[in-house]
């Protein structure tokens, strides 16, 4: 295999699952599928990457496959792939997002959280490290 120049990406999205715990009428996928991404595809996708400005985890409900999210971040760390920010798209409850945000913040990440709708004040929708 030829030596390849490392790649820098502005944006990368990884569909970590097609499992979903909701039946949203707006979903274009139709019925949820019980499929998770195989880690070999994550390895292949990250093979020649050295920087990703924005990494997005998506799928039916990405929080149903936290192992793939954890694996991806571990691969990035092991291969010294710099990630400017990452975003987990959920269609779950605010409690799921708040829990993920607190876990990531405890792990030392700077965490931005956006939830909708707001409960008491509009600006509580947008938080950085728990501060709105």
């Amino acid at each position: 295999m030829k030596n390849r120049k490392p790649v820098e990406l502005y944006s990368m999205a990884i569909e970590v699952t097609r499992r979903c715990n909701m039946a949203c009428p707006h979903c274009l996928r139709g019925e949820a599928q019980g499929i998770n991404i195989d880690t070999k595809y994550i390895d292949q996708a990250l093979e020649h990457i050295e920087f990703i400005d924005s990494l997005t985890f998506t799928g039916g409900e990405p929080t149903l496959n936290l192992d793939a999210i954890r694996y991806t971040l571990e691969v990035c760390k092991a291969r010294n792939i710099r990630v400017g920010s990452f975003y987990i798209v959920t269609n779950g409850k605010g409690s799921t997002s708040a829990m993920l945000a607190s876990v990531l913040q405890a792990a030392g990440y700077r965490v931005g959280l956006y939830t909708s709708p707001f409960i008491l004040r509009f600006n509580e929708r947008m938080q950085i490290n728990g501060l709105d």
Side-chain angles (χ1 to χ4, degrees), residues 115-130:
T115 58
S116 179
F118 64 91
I119 297 170
L120 299 173
R121 300 176 323 280
F122 178 78
N123 63 333
E124 75 186 8
R125 295 169 81 165
M126 298 156 272
Q127 298 179 10
I128 298 176
N129 283 348

Side-chain angles (χ1 to χ4, degrees), residues 11-29:
S11 180
M12 179 178 201
I14 299 176
E15 183 179 37
V16 295
T17 188
R18 289 194 177 169
R19 293 187 301 153
C20 185
N21 54 4
M22 302 177 80
C24 302
H26 63 272
C27 185
L28 300 176
R29 218 178 255 117

Side-chain angles (χ1 to χ4, degrees), residues 56-84:
T56 301
F57 296 100
T58 186
E61 177 54 54
T63 59
L64 294 175
N65 192 5
L66 291 175
D67 288 340
I69 295 171
R70 184 180 303 111
Y71 181 81
T72 303
L73 296 175
E74 287 171 354
V75 168
C76 287
K77 184 175 181 179
R79 295 183 185 178
N80 294 314
I81 299 171
R82 297 172 293 129
V83 177

Side-chain angles (χ1 to χ4, degrees), residues 25-120:
H26 63 272
C27 185
L28 300 176
R29 218 178 255 117
E31 293 296 316
Q33 302 166 349
I35 301 171
N36 286 329
I37 191 170
D38 189 309
T39 56
K40 71 180 179 183
Y41 298 117
I42 295 170
D43 289 330
Q44 289 172 0
L46 297 174
E47 189 171 353
H48 300 287
I49 307 295
E50 80 172 11
F51 175 73
I52 305 167
D53 187 49
S54 177
L55 176 59
T56 301
F57 296 100
T58 186
E61 177 54 54
T63 59
L64 294 175
N65 192 5
L66 291 175
D67 288 340
I69 295 171
R70 184 180 303 111
Y71 181 81
T72 303
L73 296 175
E74 287 171 354
V75 168
C76 287
K77 184 175 181 179
R79 295 183 185 178
N80 294 314
I81 299 171
R82 297 172 293 129
V83 177
S85 65
F86 63 92
Y87 177 62
I88 301 173
V89 179
T90 70
N91 57 8
K93 299 182 182 288
S95 59
T96 301
S97 300
M99 182 270 305
L100 283 172
S102 65
V103 167
L104 293 168
Q105 189 176 341
Y109 290 96
R110 184 169 182 235
V111 179
L113 175 65
Y114 176 84
T115 58
S116 179
F118 64 91
I119 297 170
L120 299 173

